[in-house]
Amino acid sequence: MPKAVAQPFYRDQLTAHVAEVERQISNLSREIERQSGGLLDQRDSAVDLRQRLKHMLEGS
């Protein structure tokens, strides 16, 4: 394989494949951020609700 990479055709193919993998990684990273961001927001809301309910219990 290393010798084949020295040939322009295979080098171009490999370069194109690397670019495609980089696009996939970028898309996956955005999707992970989108999904995990929503989960983090839900968790933060639950933590806030818990704190407010505990505060109400302490005040009674």
Side-chain angles (χ1 to χ4, degrees):
M1 181 73 156
K3 289 181 183 180
V5 174
Q7 297 175 12
F9 174 79
Y10 293 112
R11 185 168 192 77
D12 292 345
Q13 291 292 315
L14 187 57
T15 300
H17 189 60
V18 168
E20 178 58 30
V21 171
E22 287 175 344
R23 280 190 291 277
Q24 289 175 353
I25 291 168
S26 180
N27 290 340
L28 287 167
S29 294
R30 280 194 301 276
E31 183 64 17
I32 289 167
E33 179 61 33
R34 185 187 68 77
Q35 288 187 20
S36 68
L39 292 174
L40 290 171
D41 290 344
Q42 290 177 26
R43 184 207 55 195
D44 291 346
S45 293
V47 168
D48 182 56
L49 176 60
R50 179 189 65 193
Q51 289 303 106
R52 288 185 284 131
L53 294 173
K54 284 176 135 182
H55 183 71
M56 289 172 59
L57 285 171
E58 293 169 357
S60 61

